[in-house]
Amino acid sequence: MSGLADKALAYARELFGGEMSGHDFYHTERVYKTALRLAEAEGADAEIVALAAILHDADDHKLSPETCETKANARRFLTENGVESAKIERIITIIGEVSFSVGKTPTSIESACVQDADRLDAMGAVGVARAFAFGGSRNRPIYDPEGSGGSTIGHFYDKLLQLKGLMNTAAAKLEAEKRDAFLRAFLDEFYAEWNGGTE
Ligand code: ADP
Ligand code: NI
């Protein structure tokens, strides 16, 4: 099994190539590691969690819009590597439930682990870095004091600060507390500096 996980990691590395606006290979690698840690705490099936985590963005709508409905990239990888079809369906279901924007409730403990791991990666210091990398890639302002929307600081309120309340597993809830506190501390410091002081 770890042989297949390694092969899937190599496939993801190749697939993401130079993509750096939030869905780079290292995001996948972090989600994989975090999801496995959650799977262990929850007694979830580690093989299913590993493969779903590694392949969760292989058919992302921003990266591969032509396969995002069918999940053709993930399906092809799993089929070519001899994964049995019942397992493939479990993995594809999880991938379809991961995304924040899709907003689905996980239908298995394995899916809960992958969804939580993906959301944890949008929080904390890494989440801050990813948000500004994404905003920069879309030429968005870091902050818009007039509050007309579309800034990266605005994205904290639209999404990042909600994530703590959306965790499924106990271990992820605990980790989310810490990462959410970091987001709030970051915002406090950001506004203090924006307003000319350091306090
Ligand atoms: P998902 O895969 O859950 O749909 P996204 O593709 O929306 O997630 O997000 C990928 C990364 O980019 C996350 O870290 C997210 O916070 C960040 N991101 C998405 N939209 C924005 C935005 N409008 N401004 C800043 N960061 C964003
Ligand atoms: Ni992701």
Side-chain angles (χ1 to χ4, degrees), residues 22-23 27-28 31 53 56-57 60 98-99 114 117-119 121 130:
H23 286 109
H27 163 65
T28 285
V31 170
H56 86 274
D57 276 337
D60 179 79
V98 171
S99 169
V114 180
D118 190 45
R119 290 174 176 186
D121 206 55
R130 291 180 73 213

Side-chain angles (χ1 to χ4, degrees), residues 59-199:
D59 297 284
D60 179 79
H61 63 101
K62 291 178 194 126
L63 196 79
S64 182
E66 64 286 357
T67 66
C68 99
E69 277 300 317
T70 59
K71 311 276 184 280
N73 289 336
R75 277 184 193 283
R76 186 176 355 92
F77 175 85
L78 295 166
T79 307
E80 283 177 359
N81 284 283
V83 177
E84 60 183 84
S85 64
K87 269 188 191 169
I88 295 181
E89 291 318 312
R90 283 173 71 192
I91 293 165
I92 296 296
T93 298
I94 295 172
I95 294 173
E97 290 172 352
V98 171
S99 169
F100 171 82
S101 41
V102 171
K104 288 201 174 142
T105 303
T107 54
S108 65
I109 187 63
E110 287 75 22
S111 186
C113 293
V114 180
Q115 192 185 81
D116 285 356
D118 190 45
R119 290 174 176 186
L120 282 171
D121 206 55
M123 305 177 72
V126 164
V128 171
R130 291 180 73 213
F132 287 101
F134 182 97
S137 78
R138 304 293 149 109
N139 205 27
R140 301 230 169 104
I142 56 174
Y143 176 46
D144 172 13
E146 266 98 69
S148 48
S151 75
T152 298
I153 291 290
H155 181 66
F156 282 61
Y157 299 92
D158 296 340
K159 172 177 175 181
L160 308 187
L161 295 172
Q162 295 175 38
L163 295 173
K164 180 179 77 159
L166 296 173
M167 294 294 152
N168 304 287
T169 66
K173 283 179 187 164
L174 206 64
E175 180 64 25
E177 288 287 342
K178 195 178 113 199
R179 296 191 190 194
D180 183 80
F182 183 88
L183 292 176
R184 288 169 199 278
F186 173 83
L187 286 174
D188 286 347
E189 179 71 15
F190 183 91
Y191 293 128
E193 292 176 15
W194 188 277
N195 292 318
T198 49
E199 287 165 60

Side-chain angles (χ1 to χ4, degrees), residues 35-50:
L36 270 189
R37 186 163 55 76
L38 299 177
E40 199 172 328
E42 295 291 325
D45 182 329
E47 181 188 20
I48 296 288
V49 167

